[in-house]
Amino acid sequence: MFPAPSSPSPAPSFPYHSPAADALDRRVRRLREIAEAEPRLDGVLLYGSWTLGEADAHSDIEAYLFVREGHAETFDGREFIERLAPLELAYTNMYGILAVVFDDLMRGEFHFEPADPGIESVADWRGSVHLPDPEAAVLLDRSGRLTQVVRTLAEFRPPEAPATALQLTSELANWTLMLSHVLARGETARAHALLHTVVAPLQLQLCRLLRGSTAHWLTPSRALEADLPAPDRERYAATTARCHPDDVPAAARKSWEWSRELAREAADRWEFDVPSALHGRIAAHLAG
């Protein structure tokens, strides 16, 4: 456990029930039913907000479906998911995942993998996926292998702080310098995208590491309003901007100010050096 002002934010207890999550609960139960009736499936594993006890009316359903040997190449994933509920949209997204929109506008993402070696590969998720209640996340396990490997994901493991903090401070310097060069070239839209989709998540991860609030590590903006104190939320808000030639440079300077403060705080706590001279040159470059 790394030193921090407070312990990492725990995930809510599981299972979580609320009126807002009833539709998702019903869909999960239906997925269990049709999976049990499908002999070609060896296992089904949920992940995402439902398994963390954070589901609400806006959550989607996300699952890995492990297909038995001899059926992986011919298994029709879309046909199977259509048994779950009527579909308005179904396609293979940029990550090779079956993405769907149901008729009630609930979203879904479904991975179809061969059971061998797919089930064993779940162990590689340690450190990036947290499933606090493995038995609840596993909807189907004909061989018993899936539950066994998923139990290795039950313990929440925050990132190892010193190395992660050093990595993040380096990433922030590198990407902010790129942002500065893009701004100097006059590419406001590209700079706007870099600021919000690359630099901001890195900042929020470093901030979460410092505050001991790493439960939403992979999506650091998630539940930000509840997870981070008001001063950090205000600093983050100051780094956002509309896509306008006057606003993006100002937000980029505010962003780098916050990044430098976070980097100094991390360096003091975990005793590593930051390239102060480089940080100053980046600030000067952003100032134009």
Side-chain angles (χ1 to χ4, degrees):
M1 179 67 69
F2 55 82
S6 59
S7 59
S9 303
S13 59
F14 188 93
Y16 172 77
H17 296 289
S18 73
D22 282 349
L24 183 56
D25 289 344
R26 289 193 298 272
R27 192 134 301 161
V28 168
R29 289 195 295 270
R30 175 60 180 159
L31 177 58
R32 187 193 300 272
E33 292 171 0
I34 64 173
E36 290 175 346
E38 175 49 74
R40 294 173 295 173
L41 289 177
D42 191 290
V44 175
L45 175 64
L46 288 180
Y47 65 98
S49 60
W50 196 86
T51 61
L52 293 173
E54 298 179 345
D56 61 22
H58 308 290
S59 298
D60 49 19
I61 180 170
E62 303 159 300
Y64 272 78
L65 298 97
F66 298 100
V67 185
R68 284 181 156 176
E69 185 177 359
H71 300 286
E73 296 298 324
T74 59
F75 194 90
D76 188 338
R78 174 170 178 161
E79 184 277 330
F80 177 80
I81 297 304
E82 283 178 327
R83 304 179 209 170
L84 188 54
L87 302 179
E88 293 288 335
L89 176 67
Y91 73 103
T92 301
N93 70 14
M94 65 185 75
Y95 304 108
I97 302 165
L98 176 64
V100 306
V101 175
F102 295 103
D103 61 343
D104 57 0
L105 297 185
M106 183 184 293
R107 296 177 57 254
E109 292 186 354
F110 300 94
H111 307 245
F112 291 88
E113 303 281 348
D116 297 301
I119 289 176
E120 281 67 30
S121 69
V122 171
D124 298 335
W125 300 359
R126 280 193 294 266
S128 60
V129 174
H130 178 216
L131 297 175
D133 189 335
E135 280 69 20
V138 174
L139 299 188
L140 176 71
D141 185 8
R142 298 195 195 278
S143 64
R145 295 181 298 155
L146 184 57
T147 302
Q148 183 176 358
V149 71
V150 170
R151 285 174 180 157
T152 66
L153 308 179
E155 181 184 358
F156 177 70
R157 297 184 179 180
E160 195 278 319
T164 303
L166 179 58
Q167 174 77 20
L168 288 169
T169 58
S170 299
E171 294 278 12
L172 283 167
N174 178 55
W175 286 106
T176 303
L177 180 58
M178 180 178 179
L179 169 63
S180 180
H181 282 296
V182 170
L183 280 170
R185 190 183 290 136
E187 293 184 273
T188 301
R190 187 182 178 197
H192 183 268
L194 276 170
L195 180 62
H196 294 90
T197 64
V198 179
V199 175
L202 294 169
Q203 281 178 318
L204 289 176
Q205 284 189 323
L206 183 55
C207 185
R208 284 182 174 277
L209 199 64
L210 286 162
R211 306 298 175 252
S213 181
T214 53
H216 297 110
W217 181 256
L218 294 180
T219 310
S221 59
R222 180 168 184 163
L224 180 147
E225 294 80 4
D227 288 355
L228 293 180
D232 290 323
R233 299 199 304 268
E234 292 168 5
R235 296 302 297 275
Y236 170 72
T239 72
T240 62
R242 61 174 180 154
C243 188
H244 187 277
D246 293 336
D247 295 352
V248 176
R253 291 190 291 270
K254 289 288 187 183
S255 171
W256 184 232
E257 287 176 11
W258 191 34
S259 291
R260 294 182 75 183
E261 291 178 19
L262 292 171
R264 286 193 293 268
E265 185 179 349
D268 289 343
R269 182 178 302 172
W270 292 301
E271 299 181 343
F272 61 83
D273 294 326
V274 295
S276 300
L278 174 61
H279 283 196
R281 294 180 68 189
I282 294 172
H285 200 272
L286 280 167

